[in-house]
Amino acid sequence: MASSPYSCVLWDVDGTIADASVGILRRLNVALTHFGHPAPTREQLVHWIGPPMFQSFQAQAGMTPEQSAEAVSFYRTLGKADGYTTDVRTYPGVPCLLYTSPSPRDS
């Protein structure tokens, strides 16, 4: 086997290795209701995952840029308070895949 020119493997974590949607959606629900918006359904909230939150608070909740900045700050405060990894779960089979994946140094 030829040796690898790479010294590391980079993995995209959120949405590839781990599902953080439970915590993200819960904090979004808290933030939206905190700012007087009705509690959205999970189906409504899933559109928030991916795009920048600052933009989503404007596009999805109709907030001004100033309100959006305040909402993002509040959301981050919630994340810091409960830990950003709260409710994060790895997808089935991923831990085993990572554990058994050869290191680039093994080649």
Side-chain angles (χ1 to χ4, degrees):
M1 180 184 285
S3 69
S4 173
Y6 304 104
S7 61
C8 67
V9 175
L10 300 178
W11 296 87
D12 175 39
V13 176
D14 191 22
T16 303
I17 292 175
D19 179 5
S21 66
V22 172
I24 292 169
L25 299 180
R26 182 180 46 76
R27 288 187 291 272
L28 277 171
N29 197 349
V30 171
L32 287 166
T33 56
H34 174 81
F35 288 97
H37 293 270
T41 65
R42 179 172 174 82
E43 291 76 29
Q44 293 168 322
L45 285 174
V46 295
H47 300 288
W48 289 70
I49 296 178
M53 210 165 285
F54 177 76
Q55 293 173 2
S56 292
F57 275 115
Q58 293 171 70
Q60 303 290 336
M63 292 183 171
T64 65
E66 294 77 20
Q67 292 168 326
S68 181
E70 188 177 350
V72 169
S73 177
F74 181 78
Y75 172 88
R76 290 179 178 157
T77 299
L78 294 172
K80 188 175 181 180
D82 70 1
Y84 290 104
T85 59
T86 299
D87 297 323
V88 174
R89 302 289 178 260
T90 56
Y91 289 111
V94 169
C96 183
L97 172 72
L98 294 175
Y99 183 74
T100 59
S101 294
S103 166
R105 289 180 280 236
D106 294 339
S107 47

